[in-house]
Amino acid sequence: YLANADVALIPFKPSELTQAVSPLKVFEYLAMKLPVVSTPLKELESLPYATLADGDAFVRAVDTARQTPVDDQVIGDFLRDHSW
């Protein structure tokens, strides 16, 4: 499915619990060279190609992310620094 996607989504409902999670899917999405749009999550604030938005801004962020080219070097460097 991801091979046919333009943008990956992490649409968590904001809460105390979701502010304490680290959504590991983001690493899979970035490995597939997909920009990510997520509801605001502290864990994702500094990730490349991760846009945090909610409400109407979430929909606009998806459209913007769809049109944003992903730099393979930026993603590669990030994944090398965040491997298991």
Side-chain angles (χ1 to χ4, degrees), residues 41-62:
L41 297 173
K42 190 166 187 74
E43 285 288 321
L44 305 183
E45 287 177 354
S46 63
L47 301 186
Y49 300 103
T51 302
L52 308 181
D54 55 9
D56 292 338
F58 191 93
V59 175
R60 288 190 302 275
V62 170

Side-chain angles (χ1 to χ4, degrees), residues 22 26 58 71:
S22 179
V26 73
F58 191 93
D71 184 328

Side-chain angles (χ1 to χ4, degrees), residues 25-43:
K25 283 283 182 199
V26 73
F27 295 101
E28 295 174 20
Y29 297 154
L30 292 174
M32 293 293 297
K33 299 181 176 104
L34 289 173
V36 178
V37 176
S38 173
T39 49
L41 297 173
K42 190 166 187 74
E43 285 288 321

Side-chain angles (χ1 to χ4, degrees), residues 7 39 50 57 81:
V7 177
T39 49
D81 291 341

